[in-house]
Amino acid sequence: MDIVRNADGTLVVPVPPERHRDSDDDVEGEVDAAPAEPTTRVLHPGEGGYDEALTAWDQQQNPDREAAVSTATGRQEAMAVVHAVATSEDHAVAPALEAVSDPEASGEALRHVLVGGVHSVEDFAAEVAEAEGGEPLPAHQATKIIGEVLAELDG
């Protein structure tokens, strides 16, 4: 089952069924022969596991993509895009990306941030605030914007 990214930034992730024994008399390690159907869970930006799920969703979009590599220019442009989206009235991604000279490098920089997890996103948000002005975005908001930018780049 694939991870699904909704328009509001939430992610629908598969949850493996619990493994359990039928009774205490079962042999150690033996599990029920008929596993339950997999279920799903909706993760919101800022929730535990969201960053990891977003990274997995991004990898799922292009499984042949090599590991993300961040360049200085790509990171600078990525910071400008995140700031532009965060400060625009309608949070539109497409106009923010129009100002980018190398969208691929910006996307790679954002993927690199996501792979680093929550602390990487927090550090990136602080860098954005320092470079572009204003207060650092909360990690969940920065992660949501990164997901929107990556979805636009991949779309």
Side-chain angles (χ1 to χ4, degrees):
M1 177 179 277
D2 288 339
I3 296 171
V4 176
R5 184 180 178 282
N6 296 319
D8 65 356
T10 58
L11 299 170
V12 180
V13 298
V15 176
E18 280 190 40
R19 296 176 55 159
H20 61 280
R21 297 188 310 230
D22 285 335
S23 72
D24 290 340
D25 296 333
D26 288 343
V27 177
E28 183 72 25
E30 194 174 297
V31 295
D32 188 4
E37 289 294 316
T39 58
T40 60
R41 177 174 177 213
V42 176
L43 291 176
H44 295 82
E47 251 185 292
Y50 182 87
D51 289 351
E52 294 83 358
L54 186 58
T55 301
W57 170 83
D58 184 57
Q59 181 64 31
Q60 170 185 299
Q61 301 310 300
N62 186 352
D64 298 331
R65 182 184 301 131
E66 293 183 21
V69 176
S70 181
T71 63
T73 304
R75 191 169 179 93
Q76 288 172 340
E77 287 190 335
M79 288 191 293
V81 167
V82 168
H83 178 74
V85 172
T87 57
S88 72
E89 287 185 25
D90 59 358
H91 298 286
V93 175
L97 284 172
E98 288 175 4
V100 173
S101 63
D102 190 351
E104 186 176 321
S106 297
E108 288 299 298
L110 293 173
R111 286 181 179 89
H112 192 264
V113 169
L114 282 181
V115 169
V118 175
H119 296 297
S120 178
V121 173
E122 291 170 341
D123 292 344
F124 180 75
E127 278 185 66
V128 170
E130 186 177 316
E132 302 290 334
E135 293 295 315
L137 294 170
H140 72 277
Q141 188 177 357
T143 301
K144 182 177 179 188
I145 292 171
I146 290 170
E148 291 169 355
V149 171
L150 293 175
E152 181 75 21
L153 288 171
D154 289 343

